[in-house]
Amino acid sequence: MNLYLPVKLLITFLLFCLSFMANAQNETPKDSISNELNEVVISKEKKTITNSNGNIKVEVANSVYSSIPNPIDLLSKLPTVQISSDRESISIVGKGNPLIYIDGQRGTMNDLNVLSVADIKTIEIIKNPSSKYEAEGRAVILITRKLSKKDSFKTEISEVASFKRNYNNYLGFNSSFKKDKLEWKANFNYNRRNPWENHSIEYKIPQANIVSDYDVTAVSKVKDYIFGAGLFYKINDEDYLSLNINGKMRNDTFDINTFTFNQNQNEINNVFTFSDNTSSKNFINSFVNYSKKIKAINTKMFIGFQGSNFNQHLWSLVQNNYNDTELELSQNRDQKFNVDVFSGRIDLEKKFNNQMIWEYGGLYSAAKSKSDYDVFDYSKNENPTFVYHFKEANTAAYSQLSGKIKKVDFSIGLRVENTNVNGKYSTESTALIDKNYTNLFPKVQFSFPIDSTKNLSFDYSKSISRPNYSALSMIATYINPYFIYGSNINLGPTFADVVSASFQYHDKSVKLTLYQNKNPIYQDFVFDNQSNVLTFTEKNFQKESGYNVEFTLPFTYKFWTNTNSLVFATNKIEDKSALFNSSKTYLYYYSNNTFNLPKDFTFVLSFWGATKQKEGVFERNAKLIFDLSLAKKISKNWTCTLNYNDVFKNTIYTERFTINNISSRARYLVDANELSITLRYSFGKIKDSEYKEKNVNESENRIR
């Protein structure tokens, strides 16, 4: 695929869409919307979902979205946002994994998990982020919190009772207080969850004449303790100092039951595997930020320092029952993982009299992780142990110039990053992993207003995506005597080149994106013919390329507000070790229908789905998911919301692929069918906060 498609073709395509959409909207006055298109509103009233050039903004506060118990579930209900079956990652249809920003500053999945939904004002999904955002990411999820400028306070208490296969409970406390120049925020949540999980995989290894399949179910008892506190001190109108700390402690006990059929040549075994597990995952993040306006040179300076720690301890006692005999002890597995990350950065922003803005700065971050592996094998009477150390240092500098020439808005930026990676076992004198590389990441954006109702924009960017730190550890999960989930210490970064063009007409838009990824990370099989054990892990594939056309089509009729997203996507994944089948265009669709009813009732019907996906190596099933919500404001301080999610129990993922001559078919059942009721009580009042926080660590999303 030729990534650098002639601009002429893009303009022709977009002008065709312009003509089509203009004809469809001829009942609207030509100049009814101002030339300022940065925030296009769906109607005269403030709506829950708005659209600007395919970028979606969702008003969470005072909507049914505010009743959702956690930010991950909230994001899963938004257009083009996809949550992985293990809830450990987020992707945007046609864009991959996004950057996460909270109040304009870099955040992570861990930060999302410690954020209170009651504290969220808006969420924006930015499909064409400018060069002021880090090089890692083709899209941005920007979360803005409720804040205030006046001396005041507000406290909110929420209770969510959730009924899935098992009962779940979410209790939350969120408080803000401001006096003179000092502002304080705090939150605490206690979640008592009982998640149910099930998946199965069938696979064939022709070279070893092995056919096998397993079905595994796990029921967990989870306790989540989520906390956060911060202070913001406004020194004067231009300068401030802030300190913040937040964290999450998770304790989990769970049994895993696995039924396995395995045929190795003429030998057939039916195995029941039972494992008793305890797990703890703790995350804490703290930072100090200082901002000062240097008036002599009209430059705003920011200096920040950030430290994060994530540690995990997984203990498992595994027993196997072969062919309906009796359970026998197999392994006692004790694994620990810890990662510490420290970073510091400086950002400077200078404004010129001609409205030009020059932004420049630098960052340094250092990560150090340790994996402890201690497994006793009862059948072999062996106790293999090892300790693996990993270090990574990143140094970055950037410069960006933005402004307007006549009517054309532009942004041109360049970022340079150097990465130094080292990994070794404690017993070895030489490094197993030793990498040092430097890369340039340009970003260019141009926006052309056609008239007061139409806008055309183009952008190009080069970005990088690095694997999570835990993916570079030695942690492995035992499924049965023939199958384990492992990690890959040799994973490298993925590089992406993206060119796109978008057209906006009133509140409707169409966007065309072409991309090419080098070394994308996908699933891999590694077979050990000595032990006959198959390891399911990840690896860097050769390349990935494709294009997508996205339509965002909202409309309003009286008390009914409707937002629709349609994405036609073609994605081709290739690797010399994988069987390439075919790559075909599939459709992703999303519809949100909000009905503002009498007596302060709000009813929402939303659904999303995708047709069957064929992406070269991978083939995935079609989906259609329906959600319902009914909200009622009982009084000034009390609100009640009823949610019914995945009405028809269709959250099922299937996947087929063949790699290293090993073919597989996987099926994942997600416990998404849920009936929940939320009660929320609030008192006090907060308006227009000065509270700010700025995450310094650009790689913080990898801390898991």
Side-chain angles (χ1 to χ4, degrees):
M1 182 192 73
N2 184 5
L3 180 63
Y4 303 97
L5 202 65
V7 173
K8 230 182 211 185
L9 179 59
L10 293 176
I11 294 175
T12 303
F13 171 81
L14 291 169
L15 288 178
F16 167 78
C17 295
L18 166 103
S19 174
F20 173 81
M21 297 171 75
N23 290 334
Q25 296 293 323
N26 57 17
E27 71 276 10
T28 306
K30 183 177 179 181
D31 296 321
S32 60
I33 297 180
S34 114
N35 192 38
E36 193 68 31
L37 291 174
N38 289 331
E39 188 174 317
V40 179
V41 182
I42 295 176
S43 72
K44 294 180 181 179
E45 297 180 0
K46 189 174 184 180
K47 301 302 178 184
T48 302
I49 301 177
T50 57
N51 166 48
S52 174
N53 290 320
N55 299 324
I56 298 295
K57 183 175 182 179
V58 180
E59 298 286 339
V60 176
N62 302 316
S63 75
V64 293
Y65 291 112
S66 65
S67 67
I68 298 172
N70 61 78
I72 304 299
D73 286 341
L74 169 56
L75 287 172
S76 71
K77 294 180 176 294
L78 304 186
T80 70
V81 177
Q82 301 281 279
I83 307 297
S84 64
S85 58
D86 61 3
R87 298 170 60 84
E88 292 291 336
S89 65
I90 298 173
S91 64
I92 303 295
V93 175
K95 288 291 185 178
N97 300 116
L99 299 176
I100 299 169
Y101 274 74
I102 300 173
D103 286 339
Q105 322 306 337
R106 182 68 182 269
T108 71
M109 287 293 290
N110 286 311
D111 288 298
L112 281 179
N113 283 318
V114 302
L115 187 64
S116 170
V117 173
D119 204 23
I120 298 175
K121 181 182 179 183
T122 62
I123 297 178
E124 294 181 67
I125 304 169
I126 303 173
K127 305 289 182 65
N128 55 338
S130 69
S131 54
K132 72 178 181 180
Y133 296 103
E134 285 74 23
E136 186 173 346
R138 293 164 48 193
V140 168
I141 293 178
L142 175 61
I143 297 174
T144 303
R145 301 188 300 170
K146 302 176 187 174
L147 304 166
S148 168
K149 283 183 180 176
K150 296 181 179 179
D151 289 353
S152 50
F153 78 95
K154 183 176 183 180
T155 297
E156 186 171 270
I157 302 171
S158 63
E159 165 66 20
V160 180
S162 166
F163 302 89
K164 295 186 177 182
R165 285 178 179 263
N166 300 306
Y167 175 71
N168 303 275
N169 191 82
Y170 305 83
L171 177 64
F173 171 87
N174 191 70
S175 183
S176 299
F177 173 80
K178 187 176 189 302
K179 180 67 175 177
D180 298 328
K181 295 183 177 182
L182 186 67
E183 185 172 357
W184 171 79
K185 294 177 70 67
N187 69 279
F188 178 79
N189 295 75
Y190 172 68
N191 302 333
R192 186 68 175 88
R193 303 185 293 113
N194 299 282
W196 175 94
E197 302 172 72
N198 175 269
H199 78 268
S200 59
I201 294 181
E202 301 175 13
Y203 61 90
K204 296 180 181 179
I205 311 175
Q207 63 268 33
N209 199 17
I210 291 176
V211 177
S212 188
D213 67 76
Y214 73 81
D215 185 278
V216 58
T217 301
V219 179
S220 305
K221 296 180 179 179
V222 180
K223 295 179 181 179
D224 291 327
Y225 301 90
I226 300 169
F227 60 89
L231 289 172
F232 172 78
Y233 181 72
K234 186 175 181 180
I235 301 170
N236 53 48
D237 288 340
E238 301 287 348
D239 307 335
Y240 71 84
L241 176 70
S242 68
L243 301 92
N244 195 81
I245 184 170
N246 55 54
K248 177 180 180 180
M249 295 184 295
R250 169 176 170 169
N251 295 313
D252 190 358
T253 60
F254 55 99
D255 297 336
I256 299 179
N257 298 280
T258 308
F259 295 90
T260 305
F261 168 83
N262 183 271
Q263 181 177 350
N264 187 339
Q265 299 185 17
N266 295 323
E267 181 182 354
I268 297 177
N269 284 299
N270 289 282
V271 185
F272 170 66
T273 302
F274 173 80
S275 62
D276 183 19
N277 308 271
T278 62
S279 171
S280 64
K281 293 182 179 180
N282 300 315
F283 168 74
I284 191 165
N285 180 39
S286 60
F287 44 85
V288 178
N289 296 330
Y290 174 65
S291 180
K292 180 174 178 58
K293 178 70 175 291
I294 306 174
K295 296 181 179 179
I297 56 175
N298 193 27
T299 298
K300 184 186 296 184
M301 179 183 67
F302 169 84
I303 298 174
F305 300 96
Q306 183 173 354
S308 305
N309 171 266
F310 174 78
N311 68 78
Q312 177 183 4
H313 184 193
L314 174 62
W315 174 86
S316 305
L317 182 64
V318 182
Q319 302 177 73
N320 289 313
N321 181 332
Y322 288 83
N323 302 312
D324 292 324
T325 54
E326 62 179 358
L327 284 171
E328 295 180 352
L329 288 172
S330 175
Q331 293 187 356
N332 189 327
R333 305 173 64 85
D334 191 7
Q335 301 176 92
K336 299 176 183 178
F337 174 72
N338 184 87
V339 58
D340 294 290
V341 183
F342 171 80
S343 59
R345 71 181 297 162
I346 181 170
D347 298 307
L348 298 108
E349 178 184 309
K350 179 175 176 59
K351 293 184 178 180
F352 298 94
N353 293 331
N354 59 358
Q355 295 185 334
M356 296 289 185
I357 300 176
W358 180 30
E359 298 170 270
Y360 56 100
L363 175 140
Y364 174 78
S365 68
K368 181 171 66 175
S369 72
K370 178 183 177 183
S371 303
D372 289 280
Y373 181 89
D374 185 348
V375 175
F376 181 80
D377 192 313
Y378 288 92
S379 60
K380 298 178 181 179
N381 196 27
E382 295 177 351
N383 188 198
T385 63
F386 58 79
V387 177
Y388 178 73
H389 295 275
F390 173 84
K391 295 180 180 179
E392 180 180 291
N394 291 291
T395 305
Y398 74 93
S399 180
Q400 173 179 290
L401 183 66
S402 59
K404 179 180 287 190
I405 299 178
K406 295 184 178 179
K407 291 184 178 182
V408 179
D409 291 303
F410 75 92
S411 175
I412 300 174
L414 180 66
R415 187 181 188 89
V416 58
E417 293 189 1
N418 173 262
T419 303
N420 194 344
V421 180
N422 182 276
K424 65 184 291 291
Y425 290 107
S426 59
T427 55
E428 300 291 332
S429 58
T430 58
L432 187 65
I433 306 295
D434 190 3
K435 301 177 183 178
N436 192 318
Y437 53 89
T438 301
N439 302 102
L440 297 176
F441 302 99
K443 280 193 175 184
V444 180
Q445 288 184 320
F446 294 97
S447 180
F448 306 89
I450 299 172
D451 59 31
S452 60
T453 64
K454 306 178 189 71
N455 187 62
L456 191 63
S457 62
F458 300 89
D459 66 86
Y460 165 77
S461 66
K462 186 179 183 67
S463 61
I464 186 173
S465 178
R466 298 182 176 90
N468 301 316
Y469 294 117
S470 58
L472 301 170
S473 72
M474 301 299 293
I475 299 294
T477 302
Y478 184 102
I479 299 297
N480 61 45
Y482 318 103
F483 195 99
I484 65 172
Y485 279 89
S487 50
N488 184 358
I489 61 175
N490 294 300
L491 286 177
T494 298
F495 296 91
D497 288 276
V498 181
V499 59
S500 66
S502 64
F503 167 71
Q504 175 108 15
Y505 179 71
H506 287 294
D507 58 353
K508 297 171 176 58
S509 66
V510 59
K511 185 179 183 71
L512 172 64
T513 302
L514 300 98
Y515 59 89
Q516 184 167 289
N517 299 335
K518 180 182 178 182
N519 300 327
I521 296 175
Y522 284 102
Q523 299 97 319
D524 183 33
F525 283 126
V526 178
F527 179 64
D528 185 341
N529 55 15
Q530 299 297 317
S531 63
N532 287 326
V533 172
L534 184 65
T535 300
F536 187 69
T537 181
E538 293 180 319
K539 65 169 260 184
N540 290 101
F541 278 50
Q542 285 179 298
K543 64 179 180 178
E544 176 181 14
S545 59
Y547 67 89
N548 58 72
V549 182
E550 180 178 354
F551 296 86
T552 305
L553 307 168
F555 80 89
T556 299
Y557 178 74
K558 295 183 179 179
F559 59 88
W560 176 26
T561 301
N562 172 258
T563 302
N564 300 288
S565 290
L566 299 174
V567 182
F568 295 89
T570 300
N571 190 39
K572 184 167 66 173
I573 303 166
E574 300 175 80
D575 190 80
K576 62 183 179 181
S577 65
L579 176 65
F580 185 91
N581 291 311
S582 64
S583 179
K584 295 184 178 180
T585 301
Y586 69 92
L587 170 65
Y588 165 89
Y589 46 93
Y590 169 92
S591 180
N592 177 281
N593 303 271
T594 301
F595 301 88
N596 294 314
L597 304 176
K599 297 185 178 180
D600 290 324
F601 277 98
T602 303
F603 175 71
V604 177
L605 165 63
S606 63
F607 61 89
W608 71 270
T611 59
K612 190 173 184 179
Q613 301 173 44
K614 292 186 176 182
E615 301 178 308
V617 174
F618 299 95
E619 182 178 310
R620 300 181 173 95
N621 66 307
K623 309 174 194 67
L624 180 58
I625 313 298
F626 283 84
D627 297 329
L628 303 173
S629 295
L630 180 64
K632 165 67 175 174
K633 187 171 184 180
I634 302 172
S635 66
K636 181 180 178 181
N637 302 99
W638 286 93
T639 59
C640 179
T641 307
L642 185 66
N643 290 295
Y644 189 20
N645 300 321
D646 188 16
V647 175
F648 300 108
K649 302 182 180 180
N650 284 336
T651 309
I652 301 171
Y653 299 91
T654 65
E655 185 176 68
R656 295 172 181 258
F657 65 96
T658 299
I659 186 168
N660 293 324
N661 295 319
I662 300 169
S663 60
S664 74
R665 181 175 64 182
R667 184 173 185 263
Y668 300 87
L669 298 178
V670 180
D671 190 16
N673 179 251
E674 176 188 35
L675 180 65
S676 69
I677 184 169
T678 302
L679 286 175
R680 179 170 282 118
Y681 176 74
S682 60
F683 56 91
K685 195 171 185 180
I686 289 284
K687 294 182 179 179
D688 305 323
S689 173
E690 291 286 347
Y691 189 95
K692 299 178 183 178
E693 60 180 31
K694 187 161 186 172
N695 283 19
V696 177
N697 179 16
E698 296 176 356
S699 297
E700 190 195 347
N701 64 309
R702 300 167 62 202
I703 307 174
R704 58 182 176 88

